Amino acid sequence: VHEILKSRSMNWDNTTRAVAYFRKPDYYSEYKKWQKNNPSFPLPVVPVHSIVCREDLLFELELDAIQV
């Protein structure tokens, strides 16, 4: 996600909304590890248990970003 933002001349500060989808509730702890390793991520995330993400992913992050 960071690289996608970067390709659009944006960064985490441009994020306005984020949802994290977890295939299994146990995977939330993996997200918390990711969040700890990415302290520049500025927003709280709404965690959702869902089968939206692919089977090979621990979680999927959806976000909106704007550039003013």
Side-chain angles (χ1 to χ4, degrees), residues 3-15:
E3 292 301 316
I4 294 170
L5 290 169
K6 188 175 167 184
S7 75
R8 302 292 181 229
S9 300
M10 292 191 272
N11 59 42
W12 294 118
D13 293 333
N14 297 99
T15 305

Side-chain angles (χ1 to χ4, degrees), residues 11-68:
N11 59 42
W12 294 118
D13 293 333
N14 297 99
T15 305
T16 59
R17 178 196 64 89
V19 177
Y21 297 100
F22 301 91
R23 190 162 188 84
K24 296 182 180 179
D26 302 353
Y27 294 166
Y28 183 64
S29 62
E30 294 299 319
Y31 167 75
K32 294 303 281 180
K33 288 179 193 174
W34 174 85
Q35 191 179 38
K36 186 176 182 179
N37 291 327
N38 291 277
S40 62
F41 188 74
L43 294 175
V45 169
V46 175
V48 177
H49 172 230
S50 176
I51 56 169
V52 167
C53 57
R54 299 187 328 234
E55 288 185 36
D56 60 328
L57 299 177
L58 296 176
F59 67 92
E60 185 172 315
L61 186 62
E62 171 187 309
L63 60 84
D64 294 330
I66 61 169
Q67 194 171 35
V68 290

